[in-house]
Amino acid sequence: MIRFDYLEPATLPEAFSLLEQHGDSARVIAGGTSLIIWMRQRLLMPKVVIGLGRIPDFDTITFDPQDGLRIGAGACHRDIELSPAVKQHYPLLHETFRKVAQPRIRNMGTIGGNLAGGDPLTDPGASLIALDAEVTLASSNATRTVSVEDFFVDYYQTALEPGELLTEIRVPPPQRPGWSHIKFTPRSVEDFATVGVAVTLRAKAGSCEDVRVALNSVASTIVRAKRAEDVLRGQRLSDDLLREAGEIAAGEVDPMDDNRGSADYKRDLVKVLVRRAAEQAIQRLS
């Protein structure tokens, strides 16, 4: 393990000041489930680590019927999974977070750290995209809001600017009551997904009014399959249409060969899993 100075601000303004003072030589830590591994492997070698654990209300989870769900960036995966508001109003998130790693990791890892890491293999981002979620990015100078879809820029790269912290995730009231989350892995559900799919869907009289399809583990970022959505939106739902959407989605991804499967194998999985997830979302509507 490398040597570093550990600083623990008590407020967000103090955290921003430390980020400005130490610049690229500093990294922030909340749960540490990723950062510590990277430091042990010497992939990151910060001189200063800034802990966010003492910042008030950084881990709160609140729900309002008009405003929706607000999740502090310091909220751990397990708290989101077990939140009564999440279980009742956002079952897609409950289903997603219960599949993240194992309970020991879920009790430590935070949603802010998960998203800020920009890892395309992780599960929450796809479901948050399917729910039209936004992140709040703050610095000593300004606060801005970015959709989760636009937050992911490239492999391990996000829209965070120097001196900024991801402080909150906002999920609007659910607009599409049909939902599904499928995490396919040849080993344990605790592993990273070979392919992950999140779908939300609204239909009336058998026709699709609106839909979101998001996928992880299939490109350099977590992606939204917009062309597959366009195939479904405004059309009468049928087996052939869902199959076509799966085929289109497979053309929107750019997976790589790894120990979880070849790129061709993952594209074939996308075809099947997008269709299957859409079918599950439709079933939940009734």
Side-chain angles (χ1 to χ4, degrees):
M1 191 67 170
I2 65 171
R3 296 180 63 86
F4 58 89
D5 292 329
Y6 180 73
L7 305 175
E8 200 169 46
T11 65
L12 272 177
E14 186 180 347
F16 297 144
S17 177
L18 290 172
L19 284 172
E20 291 177 351
Q21 178 182 347
H22 296 284
D24 291 341
S25 65
R27 289 291 184 273
V28 297
I29 188 170
T33 54
S34 296
L35 180 64
I36 296 300
I37 294 173
W38 293 340
M39 291 170 63
R40 284 177 174 169
Q41 295 175 341
R42 296 183 177 269
L43 298 174
L44 288 177
M45 300 177 65
K47 295 179 181 179
V48 175
V49 174
I50 302 170
L52 305 178
R54 290 179 58 202
I55 295 175
D57 302 323
F58 203 57
D59 60 351
T60 57
I61 302 171
T62 61
F63 173 76
D64 179 87
Q66 303 301 318
D67 188 47
L69 185 70
R70 289 176 175 244
I71 306 173
C76 67
H77 300 311
R78 185 69 166 166
D79 286 344
I80 300 170
E81 173 195 355
L82 298 180
S83 164
V86 171
K87 283 185 177 181
Q88 180 178 354
H89 301 288
Y90 300 88
L92 172 59
L93 290 183
H94 170 71
E95 177 71 9
T96 302
F97 279 91
R98 76 174 187 85
K99 299 174 184 173
V100 174
Q102 54 176 284
R104 286 180 295 177
I105 298 298
R106 294 201 294 274
N107 276 310
M108 290 296 297
T110 65
I111 181 58
N114 180 288
L115 298 178
D119 189 340
L121 302 182
T122 57
D123 304 304
S127 293
L128 289 168
I129 289 173
L131 290 166
D132 306 315
E134 300 176 328
V135 291
T136 300
L137 310 180
S139 69
S140 59
N141 299 318
T143 298
R144 62 192 179 108
T145 300
V146 178
S147 69
V148 174
E149 177 185 350
D150 293 332
F151 180 69
F152 300 115
V153 174
D154 204 342
Y155 195 61
Y156 286 109
Q157 295 182 28
T158 69
L160 276 167
E161 298 289 346
E164 281 188 327
L165 287 176
L166 193 165
T167 58
E168 186 180 62
I169 298 90
R170 300 180 64 179
V171 191
Q175 303 297 312
R176 295 171 296 276
W179 63 272
S180 177
H181 181 263
I182 297 178
K183 178 179 181 177
F184 181 89
T185 173
R187 296 186 284 266
S188 166
V189 71
E190 298 172 355
D191 194 8
F192 287 123
T194 304
V195 173
V197 182
V199 171
T200 57
L201 185 145
R202 183 176 73 245
K204 184 176 182 180
S207 294
C208 177
E209 291 188 329
D210 197 17
V211 62
R212 294 287 186 276
V213 179
L215 304 103
N216 58 287
S217 300
V218 293
S220 60
T221 67
I222 300 172
V223 297
R224 179 177 162 193
K226 294 184 178 180
R227 289 195 286 119
E229 295 173 2
D230 290 341
V231 168
L232 297 171
R233 193 176 292 109
Q235 302 298 314
R236 186 158 188 83
L237 296 165
S238 67
D239 291 342
D240 287 343
L241 187 67
L242 299 185
R243 190 173 297 107
E244 182 183 356
E247 295 277 351
I248 295 296
E252 296 186 77
V253 302
D254 185 24
M256 63 177 67
D257 298 337
D258 58 23
N259 61 355
R260 295 174 182 83
S262 68
D264 288 341
Y265 175 61
K266 293 175 185 179
R267 288 190 188 93
D268 287 340
L269 279 176
V270 169
K271 296 177 187 178
V272 174
L273 297 182
V274 167
R275 172 181 56 79
R276 190 176 298 170
E279 289 173 345
Q280 291 180 0
I282 293 167
Q283 290 170 3
R284 287 192 169 105
L285 287 173
S286 59

